[in-house]
Amino acid sequence: MISLFRRAPEAGPAPAAAPFPFPYEGPEQLQGPLAAALSRVVDPEVSMSIVDVGLVYGVTVDAARVHVRLTMTSAACPVIELIMDEAEAELDTVVPPELQIRLELVWEPPWSPDRMSPGAKRFMGW
């Protein structure tokens, strides 16, 4: 006799969640939309998202604002204004209207290729 039912495999430990691409502090329901918005911002010099390049140093959300700390690969980056403007525009699509958006350009710690996502490192041949 052939059984049509299979025994379910023993449940093992749940796979570890992938680490979030940058430090985040705030309501859980905004974490994904904010990360997605920032992932849509492309650094035109390398044709990759600012999240993959490692330019987002952190996001903090409180009762009044969304504070995003960004850096650039170099202080001489010719597209700083473009990236900042696009980041603000993308965030504006997901941030609740009662919250202010504050982008802060920081230089410490200095950016390094170690901040890049594994996919970005592969793309760059590192």
Side-chain angles (χ1 to χ4, degrees):
M1 170 184 244
I2 299 174
S3 173
L4 298 176
F5 299 99
R6 292 186 174 190
R7 184 174 178 189
E10 294 290 324
F20 201 67
F22 49 80
Y24 175 82
E25 186 178 315
E28 189 175 327
Q29 69 269 19
L30 285 178
Q31 187 175 20
L34 291 171
L38 291 169
S39 293
R40 291 190 294 267
V41 179
V42 174
D43 180 335
E45 291 190 307
V46 292
S47 299
M48 287 185 278
S49 87
I50 62 173
V51 172
D52 283 330
V53 178
L55 302 182
V56 181
Y57 276 14
V59 176
T60 304
V61 181
D62 62 29
R65 78 173 139 246
V66 173
H67 178 207
V68 180
R69 295 177 59 242
L70 299 169
T71 195
M72 298 296 145
T73 57
S74 160
C77 177
V79 293
I80 291 173
E81 292 297 322
L82 175 66
I83 290 173
M84 298 291 279
D85 289 347
E86 287 188 18
E88 185 170 7
E90 287 295 339
L91 289 167
D92 197 41
T93 67
V94 298
V95 170
E98 66 274 9
L99 297 180
Q100 174 189 20
I101 297 170
R102 177 170 184 252
L103 298 175
E104 179 184 8
L105 186 60
V106 298
W107 301 108
E108 293 296 327
W111 179 87
S112 79
D114 294 339
R115 296 195 48 81
M116 296 174 76
S117 72
K121 287 177 184 175
R122 279 190 305 275
F123 178 79
M124 298 297 283
W126 295 341

